[in-house]
Amino acid sequence: MVENVCINPDLGREDKDPEVVTRMIILGPKANVSESEIVNQMHLLGLPLTIKQTCYGAMVSGKEKDVITAIKEVRKMDPYNIFTKDRGFPPGDPRRCRGHRKGPREGFHQMEKEFKLLGFVSDALKNPKEVSLEEETCVPLEEFEEIMKECLEEEKLDKDNIKGKKHSENKK
């Protein structure tokens, strides 16, 4: 189990470059594209990227501007079902790679939980609705009492009118 405790992994020059970012591309449960389609699309862009197909979509690593360009292009394929998030480690990094760790990588269970919500996020993106962030407040007691008095008075008038109609009908 020594390979599980990898304190000083052999990282390449690119992996130490602060301008290099790694993003995970995650397909939602209602996606109309496959993992291989998004990977093929990224390869066709001809950008200097490291691309890895995964069970949830893909992982892409490279200069930030190239990664963002690739993600924008891939999202055009299915804009409501392709999601992305940062990954702190490059593809194949022995500190996180499942092949080196002998089991699920840290964060996999979190991503699994997030995946269950992506269908709802997709629906919300397809059908946006107006929302308000203002908190609802209670009606002040005095105002509520006034409203109740008005309602009771109206109800009493309605009952009186009904009784008056019945009384006049009985006289006929």
Side-chain angles (χ1 to χ4, degrees):
M1 201 75 158
V2 173
E3 56 272 8
N4 241 0
V5 186
C6 189
I7 297 170
N8 293 319
D10 256 351
L11 299 176
R13 189 176 71 241
E14 180 184 283
D15 299 327
K16 295 176 186 176
D17 186 348
E19 293 181 24
V20 171
V21 297
T22 302
R23 306 260 324 164
M24 298 169 16
I25 299 172
I26 302 163
L27 297 177
K30 299 177 182 181
N32 296 317
V33 294
S34 68
E35 294 87 352
S36 59
E37 287 175 309
I38 61 172
V39 168
N40 288 340
Q41 181 65 29
M42 282 192 285
H43 281 297
L44 290 173
L45 296 173
L47 296 170
L49 298 170
T50 301
I51 303 164
K52 180 181 180 196
Q53 183 174 331
T54 64
C55 60
Y56 51 81
M59 201 177 325
V60 59
S61 185
K63 300 284 184 188
E64 187 171 14
K65 66 178 180 66
D66 294 330
V67 170
I68 298 301
T69 301
I71 289 171
K72 284 180 181 177
E73 287 300 314
V74 166
R75 272 207 168 129
K76 291 178 183 176
M77 298 171 71
D78 192 356
Y80 304 115
N81 294 294
I82 297 177
F83 302 92
T84 180
K85 66 188 267 184
D86 284 319
R87 183 173 195 252
F89 300 92
D93 188 315
R95 296 170 292 181
R96 291 294 178 261
C97 182
R98 189 175 59 85
H100 296 278
R101 295 182 55 79
K102 311 287 190 237
R105 70 171 186 81
E106 295 166 348
F108 176 78
H109 301 293
Q110 173 68 28
M111 187 176 12
E112 188 176 39
K113 188 75 171 172
E114 291 169 353
F115 178 80
K116 293 177 183 177
L117 300 174
L118 291 182
F120 298 113
V121 174
S122 174
D123 291 342
L125 290 171
K126 284 181 189 172
N127 307 303
K129 294 182 181 174
E130 187 77 28
V131 295
S132 174
L133 299 178
E134 294 178 17
E135 286 189 40
E136 292 183 17
T137 57
C138 296
V139 175
L141 182 59
E142 297 80 22
E143 185 179 341
F144 180 72
E145 287 175 343
E146 189 64 37
I147 293 170
M148 288 305 298
K149 285 178 186 175
E150 288 174 15
C151 290
L152 291 172
E153 286 174 13
E154 286 177 21
E155 189 177 316
K156 184 179 178 188
L157 288 174
D158 288 344
K159 284 183 183 178
D160 289 344
N161 286 339
I162 292 172
K163 283 182 186 177
K165 285 181 184 178
K166 285 184 182 178
H167 185 63
S168 65
E169 287 175 5
N170 287 341
K171 285 186 177 181
K172 291 182 183 179

